[in-house]
Amino acid sequence: IEKVVENIKESIPKVEWDYEGIHYFDNGPLTVQYLLVLDALNFCFWPDKDLTYDHLASGLKEALLNDKSAFDADRLQQYTGLQLRELLKWPRPLPLEDERVRLLHEVGLELENNFEGKASKLVESCGKSAVKLVALVTRYFPGFRDHSVYKGHQVFLYKRAQIFAADLWGAFKGQGYGEFNDIGSITMFADYIVPAVLKQLSVLKYSSTLSSIIDSNREIGPGSEEEIELRACTIYAVEKMRELIKLKSGKQ
């Protein structure tokens, strides 16, 4: 970690949210609605090797530009797999399509039942706390509850709920719907690209068993010990790097 931080501490780029121009943004409540829908669906882009996050973000953006009511709570509850595909202009079934549709329905239903159908009301009720927002999202939307049991302990990683808070903060530049007085409490997200990078940098070390599973392209099951260890160690390693960068460079 020391070596890696020494190499990168002066060259960390300032990345603008949506530098690629793929997200919907109108500086208002509709952006919040868009981000909750996007982050509800933001998982599993394999085994369809062509599908990426960019397709999801830009497809949903276009759907909203064509029809401002596309993500109204009542409409979210009605979508079929085929309609979701059409929305994203995707030519074949999406990975875990049924689960994505179920999550759309859930988001619509819970927004309607608890927040007058508006994700902006959900954000307003968190009192400018990203931590409270994550707690609210996981409380009201079961699909965001990223729980596993590891050796008898319950583990909470809350990847997509944290991404929602961070997307708001990034999109609204820490103002309005993106103003959180505790944004520093959000960790990095237990993403599946980051551990591969950390392994390249020798920050993570894999057991020979884990290496052989990955090298032979075998699936690591959700909720398995290997998956939880990979995700948890990734968060821990990045937090350690962040602390050290702050110490060495004086920057947050």
Side-chain angles (χ1 to χ4, degrees):
I1 287 175
E2 290 249 349
K3 209 165 92 183
V4 172
V5 165
E6 203 49 57
N7 283 337
I8 67 171
K9 72 177 196 294
E10 298 307 333
S11 60
I12 298 169
K14 176 98 178 75
V15 180
E16 283 294 311
W17 187 83
D18 198 38
Y19 64 96
E20 322 97 320
I22 57 173
H23 295 94
Y24 178 85
F25 184 73
D26 68 351
N27 206 28
L30 203 51
T31 297
V32 184
Q33 197 88 352
Y34 163 81
L35 289 173
L36 186 64
V37 170
L38 172 64
D39 290 329
L41 302 178
N42 178 11
F43 62 93
C44 188
F45 296 96
W46 62 283
D48 191 326
K49 64 183 186 326
D50 301 319
L51 183 68
T52 66
Y53 169 79
D54 292 15
H55 292 118
L56 189 64
S58 55
L60 294 174
K61 171 187 179 177
E62 202 174 319
L64 211 46
L65 289 173
N66 291 334
D67 177 1
K68 290 277 193 284
S69 66
F71 301 153
D72 285 4
D74 55 341
R75 289 192 53 192
L76 288 174
Q77 295 171 63
Q78 306 301 323
Y79 281 111
T80 64
L82 187 60
Q83 286 169 326
L84 177 57
R85 254 181 265 168
E86 285 169 358
L87 214 58
L88 299 173
K89 297 193 165 47
W90 199 249
R92 52 189 175 272
L94 296 154
L96 299 182
E97 185 170 279
D98 291 349
E99 178 62 2
R100 285 188 155 94
V101 168
R102 189 188 73 74
L103 290 170
L104 277 184
H105 294 177
E106 183 186 275
V107 166
L109 182 68
E110 297 302 327
L111 283 178
E112 192 174 281
N113 288 347
N114 303 293
F115 301 100
E116 299 166 39
K118 294 180 166 55
S120 55
K121 296 279 181 202
L122 161 71
V123 175
E124 284 164 7
S125 64
C126 79
K128 299 189 183 355
S129 164
V131 171
K132 190 174 175 200
L133 180 61
V134 169
L136 283 171
V137 168
T138 52
R139 177 177 158 198
Y140 285 102
F141 303 89
F144 280 88
R145 286 179 203 152
D146 199 347
H147 294 192
S148 304
V149 176
Y150 177 77
K151 295 185 175 172
H153 296 275
Q154 198 166 15
V155 178
F156 310 86
L157 292 166
Y158 291 162
K159 173 184 174 178
R160 288 175 301 118
Q162 289 204 101
I163 291 178
F164 178 55
D167 274 346
L168 288 163
W169 182 74
F172 290 92
K173 295 187 164 55
Q175 304 295 313
Y177 291 113
E179 188 184 342
F180 301 112
N181 48 32
D182 58 355
I183 194 67
S185 306
I186 298 290
T187 67
M188 68 82 62
F189 323 120
D191 174 88
Y192 46 70
I193 304 295
V194 180
V197 176
L198 293 177
K199 183 173 185 289
Q200 290 284 144
L201 297 170
S202 303
V203 170
L204 289 185
K205 193 173 164 192
Y206 294 176
S207 70
S208 54
T209 319
L210 181 61
S211 289
S212 69
I213 292 172
I214 292 170
D215 293 342
S216 62
N217 241 343
R218 278 181 286 153
E219 184 178 337
I220 296 169
S224 64
E225 285 190 9
E226 292 92 342
E227 191 217 31
I228 297 164
E229 286 173 4
L230 269 171
R231 299 180 82 200
C233 291
T234 297
I235 293 172
Y236 185 75
V238 172
E239 285 299 296
K240 287 285 159 211
M241 289 165 72
R242 189 177 66 81
E243 283 167 19
L244 199 55
I245 287 167
K246 191 183 175 188
L247 201 67
K248 283 179 178 284
S249 69
K251 291 184 200 135
Q252 179 61 278

